[in-house]
């Protein structure tokens, strides 16, 4: 589930792009995910967003953040209001 949280963050900050849009079927997407070929992060995104995505995409599930930790991270997003305004 945490991987999905990272993908959702990626979708939000890439203005709704479809993850792995260049691939033509779900089998290829699954292979990318299994081989840990992660979605590219935009270096212009706030570091906090990049950090959350990377933590959610850790290979070991025990290394990924809990929902409680993610909730604390999300509450920090309010500090990014200047960045988020263009998304609205």
């Amino acid at each position: 589930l945490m991987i999905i949280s990272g993908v959702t963050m990626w979708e939000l900050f890439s203005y709704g792009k479809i993850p792995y849009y260049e691939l033509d079927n779900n089998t290829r997407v699954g292979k990318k995910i299994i081989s840990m070929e992660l979605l590219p992060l935009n270096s212009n995104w706030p570091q906090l967003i990049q950090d959350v995505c990377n933590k959610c995409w850790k290979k070991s599930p025990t290394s990924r953040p809990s929902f409680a930790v993610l909730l604390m991270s999300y509450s920090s997003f309010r500090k990014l209001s200047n960045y988020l305004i263009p998304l609205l």
Side-chain angles (χ1 to χ4, degrees), residues 51-67:
D51 292 346
V52 168
C53 288
N54 283 320
K55 288 175 186 174
C56 287
W57 295 339
K58 294 279 186 186
K59 189 168 187 164
S60 169
T62 58
S63 299
R64 298 178 197 144
S66 66
F67 280 111

Side-chain angles (χ1 to χ4, degrees), residues 1-8 33 36 56-58 64:
L1 289 176
M2 293 305 121
I3 289 175
I4 294 168
S5 295
V7 171
T8 301
I33 293 169
M36 296 303 291
C56 287
W57 295 339
K58 294 279 186 186
R64 298 178 197 144

